[in-house]
Amino acid sequence: MSGSATSCEECLLIHPSCAWCAQEVRATLNSRCDFSQNLLKRGCNAPFIENPRSGISLLRSKPLSSKGSGVTQYDVIQIYPQKISLSLRPGDQTSFEVQVRPVEDYPVDLYYLMDLSLSMKDDLDTIRNLGTKLAEEMRKLTSNFRLGFGSFVDKNISPFSYTAPKYQDNPYKLFPNCVPTFGFRHLLSLTDKVDRFNEEVQKQMVSRNRDAPEGGFDAILQAAVCKEKIGWRKEAYHLLVFATDDVPHLALDGRLGGLVYPHDGQCHLNDKNEYSAANKMDYPSLALLGEKLAENNIFLIFAVTKRHYVLYKNLTALIPGTTVEILDQDSKNIIQLIVNAYNNIRSKVELSVWDHPEDLNLAFTATCQDGQPLTGLRKCADLKIGDTVSFNVTVDARGCPPKGTSKSFTIRPVGFKDHLEVSVDYRCDCSCTDFTQTNSSRCNSAGTYSCGMCGCEPGHLGARCECEEGEVNHQYLSACREAEGKQVCSGRGECSCNQCLCYESEFGKIYGTFCECDDFSCARHKGILCSGHGECHCGECKCHAGYIGDNCNCSTETTSCVSDDGKICSGRGSCVCGRCQCTEPGAFGDTCEKCPTCPDACGTKRECIECRLFNSGRLADNQTCQRMCKDEIITVETLKTDDSNTVQCVYKTENDCVMKFTYSEHASGQSVLTALKEPECAVAPDAKTVLLAVVGSILLMGIVLLALWKLVITIHDRREFARFQSARSRKSDACDSYHIMIWCSTNISYYYKC
């Protein structure tokens, strides 16, 4: 491909290994653009070889801090380095390392945003003394804690609210303490005086709207952008707790009420700290909401009832820096919910890129606590406060902007005020152009000499502009053929002065010594050249960083393949083109996370059972229960084991009890775990009972043996007695006959009778 370069700048764009010889030597056009070692072999001296490389300069690199208290906001450093400069040659990748360490005892600002629609009345009663209890728990985690409060209902227009005159003072006549519908009210700026929070909450009364969804997203956006009124500190973690029992209105819902203007993303709190544009603009979109939350470093915590948990869980995937927790019907678990969410937030570090230039490719590799590099990931989880994680960032410039252009972007951990500023300069120019000569004698005064070559004026051709256009020496037409028998200039140009002049094409550029190359005859994907992720060079796609394949349609990014347990494709497959290909028989799902027939199916679901039912084990200790376990869990008194579509699982608990559960996949794709409410535990026998049982058994066996002995003796005696009786009877009969005969013989008178 080097033969297609007609200037030093074009040569540098072909490939980062290409170099240009600017020395005035007797060399053909093909030999000026080549590998550096080849140019040296051809006699080009090293000072004349143009081969700029990408480089990095550290501009600010203060060391990471370990604690957040006792120092000023400017002394707390949670990212290293803080500012760097990149000099990039297109295609020449360069890498740098970013380290992040969440410090201990960092200040926390928490703004509690509550739904005050009528269905939240019991929740309002529960949190009337929330401030004191919450402050006590949060001060176990940070010594610098502030609390604020705001409330919302919905837009006070039809069809979202009751607008008839009779509802203006009280939208629900059956409930006397029901205030008129309002959009958002900021009630208490962030303060360390938690008693004021309790006082403000106790003043509140519920209101009523007409439809089920609430106007909560209006309130979230105002709480995020009205920084001065809310009182967000730059040097603190910003937590926004959104408590509701229903779904939110989204962008375009406002058109039902005639609101056609999209939200402008600005603060609209009036002197009464009420949202004044509620009835003028539509609800904010998810994109706008995510942008403003990230812009102001705010972590959003959805505290929602179980009925709407799945919906808000899906929203967290669309809004960076958000988590969702299940709220009890009366908000009794709100304190533990907030503490868990805070610990969950502090256990994760995720990098975000701001003002990303379109002509730059960024690729991330995360190295978390286990020390294993995870290509394509920009997130680490299950961290402890004070842990340091690192990310390798590879930068690649796809092309050259106009001369003198410099660009910049920012890398920021989600929710952190700390960030890394990256300025970018492009190394697209050759230093030899500083010695350019116009109308140079080296070019027969018909061209400009630059970087060892002549750029001829219109109408002149040749290495030294020695020919005029139209002069064709048929004897030298072979110089315009790539090989014997091939067409002149590949049939896509004209031979003039022993050089090919390539035709223009409506599809792109035709170039090369023999017009053999172009920038439009490469593979396409869905009709797009090189899938839009590469450049076409001489019939071959040169893919941008992060993409591979003949048509550059295969992404090397693995973020979409990472399962909830942090493994690539759950350890049951491989990530190909950004999608999991499951290799374990029976595995399926976006990240091969579903596998009822896998040998480890029971083992992986056991953690979910322990975490959700017993709140014990290593997952709960790391506050990752909700993240790790998204399965539906059903508890029963008696487990049915006759279903052939379920996997039967049994394991032994720490208390030597036996826990049984079944695992199956619902048709909707949801994993369903059916478990016993309590493990089956064997009761240890009582020592006294055992002793009595043993003694009783011995006595019983003795009695039985005696009874058997007595029975045998009785049977034996009866048999002997019967034998004796029989013998005696025979003897008695014989004696009687003998005596009769004697008597008859002595009494003659009876002899005949006898």
Side-chain angles (χ1 to χ4, degrees), residues 437-458:
Q437 300 173 5
T438 57
N439 296 321
S440 173
S441 59
R442 297 172 177 173
C443 304
N444 293 297
S445 300
T448 300
Y449 181 80
S450 178
C451 295
M453 288 187 60
C454 286
C456 301
E457 295 177 356

mmCIF file with all atom_site columns, all heavy atoms in Angstrom, residues 437-458:
data_model
loop_
_atom_site.group_PDB
_atom_site.id
_atom_site.type_symbol
_atom_site.label_atom_id
_atom_site.label_alt_id
_atom_site.label_comp_id
_atom_site.label_asym_id
_atom_site.label_entity_id
_atom_site.label_seq_id
_atom_site.pdbx_PDB_ins_code
_atom_site.Cartn_x
_atom_site.Cartn_y
_atom_site.Cartn_z
_atom_site.occupancy
_atom_site.B_iso_or_equiv
_atom_site.pdbx_formal_charge
_atom_site.auth_seq_id
_atom_site.auth_comp_id
_atom_site.auth_asym_id
_atom_site.auth_atom_id
_atom_site.pdbx_PDB_model_num
ATOM 1   N N   . GLN A 1 437 ? 10.080 24.487 -1.007  1.00 0.00 ? 437 GLN A N   1
ATOM 2   C CA  . GLN A 1 437 ? 10.544 25.491 -1.974  1.00 0.00 ? 437 GLN A CA  1
ATOM 3   C C   . GLN A 1 437 ? 9.563  25.545 -3.145  1.00 0.00 ? 437 GLN A C   1
ATOM 4   O O   . GLN A 1 437 ? 9.291  24.527 -3.781  1.00 0.00 ? 437 GLN A O   1
ATOM 5   C CB  . GLN A 1 437 ? 11.934 25.130 -2.497  1.00 0.00 ? 437 GLN A CB  1
ATOM 6   C CG  . GLN A 1 437 ? 13.002 25.032 -1.420  1.00 0.00 ? 437 GLN A CG  1
ATOM 7   C CD  . GLN A 1 437 ? 14.319 24.514 -1.965  1.00 0.00 ? 437 GLN A CD  1
ATOM 8   O OE1 . GLN A 1 437 ? 14.482 24.304 -3.175  1.00 0.00 ? 437 GLN A OE1 1
ATOM 9   N NE2 . GLN A 1 437 ? 15.287 24.330 -1.075  1.00 0.00 ? 437 GLN A NE2 1
ATOM 10  N N   . THR A 1 438 ? 9.033  26.735 -3.402  1.00 0.00 ? 438 THR A N   1
ATOM 11  C CA  . THR A 1 438 ? 8.133  26.892 -4.554  1.00 0.00 ? 438 THR A CA  1
ATOM 12  C C   . THR A 1 438 ? 8.953  27.233 -5.799  1.00 0.00 ? 438 THR A C   1
ATOM 13  O O   . THR A 1 438 ? 10.022 27.868 -5.709  1.00 0.00 ? 438 THR A O   1
ATOM 14  C CB  . THR A 1 438 ? 7.112  28.005 -4.282  1.00 0.00 ? 438 THR A CB  1
ATOM 15  O OG1 . THR A 1 438 ? 7.809  29.216 -3.976  1.00 0.00 ? 438 THR A OG1 1
ATOM 16  C CG2 . THR A 1 438 ? 6.223  27.644 -3.093  1.00 0.00 ? 438 THR A CG2 1
ATOM 17  N N   . ASN A 1 439 ? 8.430  26.817 -6.969  1.00 0.00 ? 439 ASN A N   1
ATOM 18  C CA  . ASN A 1 439 ? 9.126  27.034 -8.253  1.00 0.00 ? 439 ASN A CA  1
ATOM 19  C C   . ASN A 1 439 ? 10.594 26.640 -8.151  1.00 0.00 ? 439 ASN A C   1
ATOM 20  O O   . ASN A 1 439 ? 11.506 27.356 -8.568  1.00 0.00 ? 439 ASN A O   1
ATOM 21  C CB  . ASN A 1 439 ? 9.011  28.495 -8.709  1.00 0.00 ? 439 ASN A CB  1
ATOM 22  C CG  . ASN A 1 439 ? 7.577  28.893 -8.985  1.00 0.00 ? 439 ASN A CG  1
ATOM 23  O OD1 . ASN A 1 439 ? 6.805  28.103 -9.531  1.00 0.00 ? 439 ASN A OD1 1
ATOM 24  N ND2 . ASN A 1 439 ? 7.218  30.117 -8.604  1.00 0.00 ? 439 ASN A ND2 1
ATOM 25  N N   . SER A 1 440 ? 10.809 25.481 -7.548  1.00 0.00 ? 440 SER A N   1
ATOM 26  C CA  . SER A 1 440 ? 12.175 25.032 -7.300  1.00 0.00 ? 440 SER A CA  1
ATOM 27  C C   . SER A 1 440 ? 12.847 24.582 -8.594  1.00 0.00 ? 440 SER A C   1
ATOM 28  O O   . SER A 1 440 ? 12.208 23.999 -9.483  1.00 0.00 ? 440 SER A O   1
ATOM 29  C CB  . SER A 1 440 ? 12.151 23.869 -6.302  1.00 0.00 ? 440 SER A CB  1
ATOM 30  O OG  . SER A 1 440 ? 13.435 23.311 -6.163  1.00 0.00 ? 440 SER A OG  1
ATOM 31  N N   . SER A 1 441 ? 14.140 24.870 -8.661  1.00 0.00 ? 441 SER A N   1
ATOM 32  C CA  . SER A 1 441 ? 14.912 24.418 -9.823  1.00 0.00 ? 441 SER A CA  1
ATOM 33  C C   . SER A 1 441 ? 14.989 22.906 -9.865  1.00 0.00 ? 441 SER A C   1
ATOM 34  O O   . SER A 1 441 ? 15.201 22.314 -10.926 1.00 0.00 ? 441 SER A O   1
ATOM 35  C CB  . SER A 1 441 ? 16.321 25.028 -9.772  1.00 0.00 ? 441 SER A CB  1
ATOM 36  O OG  . SER A 1 441 ? 16.983 24.638 -8.558  1.00 0.00 ? 441 SER A OG  1
ATOM 37  N N   . ARG A 1 442 ? 14.856 22.275 -8.696  1.00 0.00 ? 442 ARG A N   1
ATOM 38  C CA  . ARG A 1 442 ? 14.862 20.819 -8.661  1.00 0.00 ? 442 ARG A CA  1
ATOM 39  C C   . ARG A 1 442 ? 13.645 20.249 -9.385  1.00 0.00 ? 442 ARG A C   1
ATOM 40  O O   . ARG A 1 442 ? 13.617 19.074 -9.740  1.00 0.00 ? 442 ARG A O   1
ATOM 41  C CB  . ARG A 1 442 ? 14.856 20.319 -7.219  1.00 0.00 ? 442 ARG A CB  1
ATOM 42  C CG  . ARG A 1 442 ? 16.115 20.726 -6.440  1.00 0.00 ? 442 ARG A CG  1
ATOM 43  C CD  . ARG A 1 442 ? 15.949 20.379 -4.979  1.00 0.00 ? 442 ARG A CD  1
ATOM 44  N NE  . ARG A 1 442 ? 17.151 20.686 -4.201  1.00 0.00 ? 442 ARG A NE  1
ATOM 45  C CZ  . ARG A 1 442 ? 17.236 20.611 -2.880  1.00 0.00 ? 442 ARG A CZ  1
ATOM 46  N NH1 . ARG A 1 442 ? 16.167 20.221 -2.191  1.00 0.00 ? 442 ARG A NH1 1
ATOM 47  N NH2 . ARG A 1 442 ? 18.352 20.907 -2.254  1.00 0.00 ? 442 ARG A NH2 1
ATOM 48  N N   . CYS A 1 443 ? 12.645 21.086 -9.581  1.00 0.00 ? 443 CYS A N   1
ATOM 49  C CA  . CYS A 1 443 ? 11.419 20.657 -10.273 1.00 0.00 ? 443 CYS A CA  1
ATOM 50  C C   . CYS A 1 443 ? 11.299 21.381 -11.615 1.00 0.00 ? 443 CYS A C   1
ATOM 51  O O   . CYS A 1 443 ? 10.171 21.646 -12.092 1.00 0.00 ? 443 CYS A O   1
ATOM 52  C CB  . CYS A 1 443 ? 10.196 20.942 -9.414  1.00 0.00 ? 443 CYS A CB  1
ATOM 53  S SG  . CYS A 1 443 ? 10.258 20.184 -7.773  1.00 0.00 ? 443 CYS A SG  1
ATOM 54  N N   . ASN A 1 444 ? 12.427 21.744 -12.182 1.00 0.00 ? 444 ASN A N   1
ATOM 55  C CA  . ASN A 1 444 ? 12.434 22.429 -13.480 1.00 0.00 ? 444 ASN A CA  1
ATOM 56  C C   . ASN A 1 444 ? 11.586 23.698 -13.453 1.00 0.00 ? 444 ASN A C   1
ATOM 57  O O   . ASN A 1 444 ? 10.941 24.055 -14.452 1.00 0.00 ? 444 ASN A O   1
ATOM 58  C CB  . ASN A 1 444 ? 11.943 21.496 -14.588 1.00 0.00 ? 444 ASN A CB  1
ATOM 59  C CG  . ASN A 1 444 ? 12.893 20.339 -14.836 1.00 0.00 ? 444 ASN A CG  1
ATOM 60  O OD1 . ASN A 1 444 ? 14.045 20.544 -15.238 1.00 0.00 ? 444 ASN A OD1 1
ATOM 61  N ND2 . ASN A 1 444 ? 12.430 19.132 -14.554 1.00 0.00 ? 444 ASN A ND2 1
ATOM 62  N N   . SER A 1 445 ? 11.571 24.347 -12.272 1.00 0.00 ? 445 SER A N   1
ATOM 63  C CA  . SER A 1 445 ? 10.820 25.606 -12.082 1.00 0.00 ? 445 SER A CA  1
ATOM 64  C C   . SER A 1 445 ? 9.343  25.464 -12.451 1.00 0.00 ? 445 SER A C   1
ATOM 65  O O   . SER A 1 445 ? 8.671  26.451 -12.774 1.00 0.00 ? 445 SER A O   1
ATOM 66  C CB  . SER A 1 445 ? 11.463 26.738 -12.915 1.00 0.00 ? 445 SER A CB  1
ATOM 67  O OG  . SER A 1 445 ? 12.799 26.943 -12.507 1.00 0.00 ? 445 SER A OG  1
ATOM 68  N N   . ALA A 1 446 ? 8.830  24.211 -12.384 1.00 0.00 ? 446 ALA A N   1
ATOM 69  C CA  . ALA A 1 446 ? 7.422  23.974 -12.742 1.00 0.00 ? 446 ALA A CA  1
ATOM 70  C C   . ALA A 1 446 ? 6.694  23.258 -11.608 1.00 0.00 ? 446 ALA A C   1
ATOM 71  O O   . ALA A 1 446 ? 5.671  22.612 -11.842 1.00 0.00 ? 446 ALA A O   1
ATOM 72  C CB  . ALA A 1 446 ? 7.332  23.164 -14.016 1.00 0.00 ? 446 ALA A CB  1
ATOM 73  N N   . GLY A 1 447 ? 7.256  23.392 -10.416 1.00 0.00 ? 447 GLY A N   1
ATOM 74  C CA  . GLY A 1 447 ? 6.606  22.721 -9.300  1.00 0.00 ? 447 GLY A CA  1
ATOM 75  C C   . GLY A 1 447 ? 7.198  23.146 -7.961  1.00 0.00 ? 447 GLY A C   1
ATOM 76  O O   . GLY A 1 447 ? 8.138  23.956 -7.905  1.00 0.00 ? 447 GLY A O   1
ATOM 77  N N   . THR A 1 448 ? 6.640  22.589 -6.900  1.00 0.00 ? 448 THR A N   1
ATOM 78  C CA  . THR A 1 448 ? 7.076  22.896 -5.533  1.00 0.00 ? 448 THR A CA  1
ATOM 79  C C   . THR A 1 448 ? 7.815  21.691 -4.965  1.00 0.00 ? 448 THR A C   1
ATOM 80  O O   . THR A 1 448 ? 7.288  20.562 -5.005  1.00 0.00 ? 448 THR A O   1
ATOM 81  C CB  . THR A 1 448 ? 5.870  23.225 -4.640  1.00 0.00 ? 448 THR A CB  1
ATOM 82  O OG1 . THR A 1 448 ? 5.192  24.366 -5.184  1.00 0.00 ? 448 THR A OG1 1
ATOM 83  C CG2 . THR A 1 448 ? 6.319  23.536 -3.217  1.00 0.00 ? 448 THR A CG2 1
ATOM 84  N N   . TYR A 1 449 ? 9.012  21.934 -4.465  1.00 0.00 ? 449 TYR A N   1
ATOM 85  C CA  . TYR A 1 449 ? 9.812  20.853 -3.895  1.00 0.00 ? 449 TYR A CA  1
ATOM 86  C C   . TYR A 1 449 ? 9.539  20.776 -2.391  1.00 0.00 ? 449 TYR A C   1
ATOM 87  O O   . TYR A 1 449 ? 9.706  21.765 -1.669  1.00 0.00 ? 449 TYR A O   1
ATOM 88  C CB  . TYR A 1 449 ? 11.299 21.105 -4.148  1.00 0.00 ? 449 TYR A CB  1
ATOM 89  C CG  . TYR A 1 449 ? 12.191 20.013 -3.603  1.00 0.00 ? 449 TYR A CG  1
ATOM 90  C CD1 . TYR A 1 449 ? 12.366 18.823 -4.292  1.00 0.00 ? 449 TYR A CD1 1
ATOM 91  C CD2 . TYR A 1 449 ? 12.843 20.184 -2.383  1.00 0.00 ? 449 TYR A CD2 1
ATOM 92  C CE1 . TYR A 1 449 ? 13.176 17.820 -3.795  1.00 0.00 ? 449 TYR A CE1 1
ATOM 93  C CE2 . TYR A 1 449 ? 13.659 19.184 -1.871  1.00 0.00 ? 449 TYR A CE2 1
ATOM 94  C CZ  . TYR A 1 449 ? 13.821 18.003 -2.579  1.00 0.00 ? 449 TYR A CZ  1
ATOM 95  O OH  . TYR A 1 449 ? 14.618 17.011 -2.075  1.00 0.00 ? 449 TYR A OH  1
ATOM 96  N N   . SER A 1 450 ? 9.104  19.607 -1.937  1.00 0.00 ? 450 SER A N   1
ATOM 97  C CA  . SER A 1 450 ? 8.805  19.416 -0.511  1.00 0.00 ? 450 SER A CA  1
ATOM 98  C C   . SER A 1 450 ? 9.045  17.958 -0.144  1.00 0.00 ? 450 SER A C   1
ATOM 99  O O   . SER A 1 450 ? 8.561  17.049 -0.838  1.00 0.00 ? 450 SER A O   1
ATOM 100 C CB  . SER A 1 450 ? 7.349  19.808 -0.213  1.00 0.00 ? 450 SER A CB  1
ATOM 101 O OG  . SER A 1 450 ? 7.040  19.573 1.148   1.00 0.00 ? 450 SER A OG  1
ATOM 102 N N   . CYS A 1 451 ? 9.778  17.757 0.940   1.00 0.00 ? 451 CYS A N   1
ATOM 103 C CA  . CYS A 1 451 ? 10.011 16.413 1.488   1.00 0.00 ? 451 CYS A CA  1
ATOM 104 C C   . CYS A 1 451 ? 10.568 15.449 0.445   1.00 0.00 ? 451 CYS A C   1
ATOM 105 O O   . CYS A 1 451 ? 10.173 14.279 0.363   1.00 0.00 ? 451 CYS A O   1
ATOM 106 C CB  . CYS A 1 451 ? 8.726  15.850 2.094   1.00 0.00 ? 451 CYS A CB  1
ATOM 107 S SG  . CYS A 1 451 ? 8.138  16.782 3.527   1.00 0.00 ? 451 CYS A SG  1
ATOM 108 N N   . GLY A 1 452 ? 11.488 15.967 -0.422  1.00 0.00 ? 452 GLY A N   1
ATOM 109 C CA  . GLY A 1 452 ? 12.167 15.109 -1.383  1.00 0.00 ? 452 GLY A CA  1
ATOM 110 C C   . GLY A 1 452 ? 11.399 14.870 -2.654  1.00 0.00 ? 452 GLY A C   1
ATOM 111 O O   . GLY A 1 452 ? 11.869 14.111 -3.511  1.00 0.00 ? 452 GLY A O   1
ATOM 112 N N   . MET A 1 453 ? 10.251 15.479 -2.839  1.00 0.00 ? 453 MET A N   1
ATOM 113 C CA  . MET A 1 453 ? 9.437  15.260 -4.026  1.00 0.00 ? 453 MET A CA  1
ATOM 114 C C   . MET A 1 453 ? 9.000  16.577 -4.638  1.00 0.00 ? 453 MET A C   1
ATOM 115 O O   . MET A 1 453 ? 8.954  17.607 -3.971  1.00 0.00 ? 453 MET A O   1
ATOM 116 C CB  . MET A 1 453 ? 8.187  14.443 -3.687  1.00 0.00 ? 453 MET A CB  1
ATOM 117 C CG  . MET A 1 453 ? 8.455  12.984 -3.399  1.00 0.00 ? 453 MET A CG  1
ATOM 118 S SD  . MET A 1 453 ? 6.905  12.094 -3.231  1.00 0.00 ? 453 MET A SD  1
ATOM 119 C CE  . MET A 1 453 ? 6.163  12.378 -4.831  1.00 0.00 ? 453 MET A CE  1
ATOM 120 N N   . CYS A 1 454 ? 8.674  16.483 -5.914  1.00 0.00 ? 454 CYS A N   1
ATOM 121 C CA  . CYS A 1 454 ? 8.156  17.640 -6.626  1.00 0.00 ? 454 CYS A CA  1
ATOM 122 C C   . CYS A 1 454 ? 6.644  17.545 -6.754  1.00 0.00 ? 454 CYS A C   1
ATOM 123 O O   . CYS A 1 454 ? 6.111  16.509 -7.190  1.00 0.00 ? 454 CYS A O   1
ATOM 124 C CB  . CYS A 1 454 ? 8.774  17.723 -8.023  1.00 0.00 ? 454 CYS A CB  1
ATOM 125 S SG  . CYS A 1 454 ? 10.503 18.265 -8.027  1.00 0.00 ? 454 CYS A SG  1
ATOM 126 N N   . GLY A 1 455 ? 5.986  18.618 -6.392  1.00 0.00 ? 455 GLY A N   1
ATOM 127 C CA  . GLY A 1 455 ? 4.560  18.736 -6.634  1.00 0.00 ? 455 GLY A CA  1
ATOM 128 C C   . GLY A 1 455 ? 4.350  19.631 -7.830  1.00 0.00 ? 455 GLY A C   1
ATOM 129 O O   . GLY A 1 455 ? 4.514  20.856 -7.728  1.00 0.00 ? 455 GLY A O   1
ATOM 130 N N   . CYS A 1 456 ? 4.078  19.020 -8.976  1.00 0.00 ? 456 CYS A N   1
ATOM 131 C CA  . CYS A 1 456 ? 4.066  19.752 -10.235 1.00 0.00 ? 456 CYS A CA  1
ATOM 132 C C   . CYS A 1 456 ? 2.845  20.656 -10.359 1.00 0.00 ? 456 CYS A C   1
ATOM 133 O O   . CYS A 1 456 ? 1.758  20.346 -9.851  1.00 0.00 ? 456 CYS A O   1
ATOM 134 C CB  . CYS A 1 456 ? 4.118  18.778 -11.408 1.00 0.00 ? 456 CYS A CB  1
ATOM 135 S SG  . CYS A 1 456 ? 5.586  17.715 -11.395 1.00 0.00 ? 456 CYS A SG  1
ATOM 136 N N   . GLU A 1 457 ? 3.056  21.741 -11.085 1.00 0.00 ? 457 GLU A N   1
ATOM 137 C CA  . GLU A 1 457 ? 1.962  22.647 -11.378 1.00 0.00 ? 457 GLU A CA  1
ATOM 138 C C   . GLU A 1 457 ? 1.052  22.015 -12.425 1.00 0.00 ? 457 GLU A C   1
ATOM 139 O O   . GLU A 1 457 ? 1.461  21.085 -13.134 1.00 0.00 ? 457 GLU A O   1
ATOM 140 C CB  . GLU A 1 457 ? 2.519  23.979 -11.884 1.00 0.00 ? 457 GLU A CB  1
ATOM 141 C CG  . GLU A 1 457 ? 3.323  24.731 -10.834 1.00 0.00 ? 457 GLU A CG  1
ATOM 142 C CD  . GLU A 1 457 ? 3.915  26.013 -11.382 1.00 0.00 ? 457 GLU A CD  1
ATOM 143 O OE1 . GLU A 1 457 ? 3.753  26.264 -12.608 1.00 0.00 ? 457 GLU A OE1 1
ATOM 144 O OE2 . GLU A 1 457 ? 4.535  26.748 -10.606 1.00 0.00 ? 457 GLU A OE2 1
ATOM 145 N N   . PRO A 1 458 ? -0.200 22.482 -12.532 1.00 0.00 ? 458 PRO A N   1
ATOM 146 C CA  . PRO A 1 458 ? -1.107 21.902 -13.533 1.00 0.00 ? 458 PRO A CA  1
ATOM 147 C C   . PRO A 1 458 ? -0.488 21.943 -14.933 1.00 0.00 ? 458 PRO A C   1
ATOM 148 O O   . PRO A 1 458 ? 0.106  22.938 -15.336 1.00 0.00 ? 458 PRO A O   1
ATOM 149 C CB  . PRO A 1 458 ? -2.344 22.801 -13.445 1.00 0.00 ? 458 PRO A CB  1
ATOM 150 C CG  . PRO A 1 458 ? -2.302 23.346 -12.050 1.00 0.00 ? 458 PRO A CG  1
ATOM 151 C CD  . PRO A 1 458 ? -0.850 23.528 -11.722 1.00 0.00 ? 458 PRO A CD  1
#
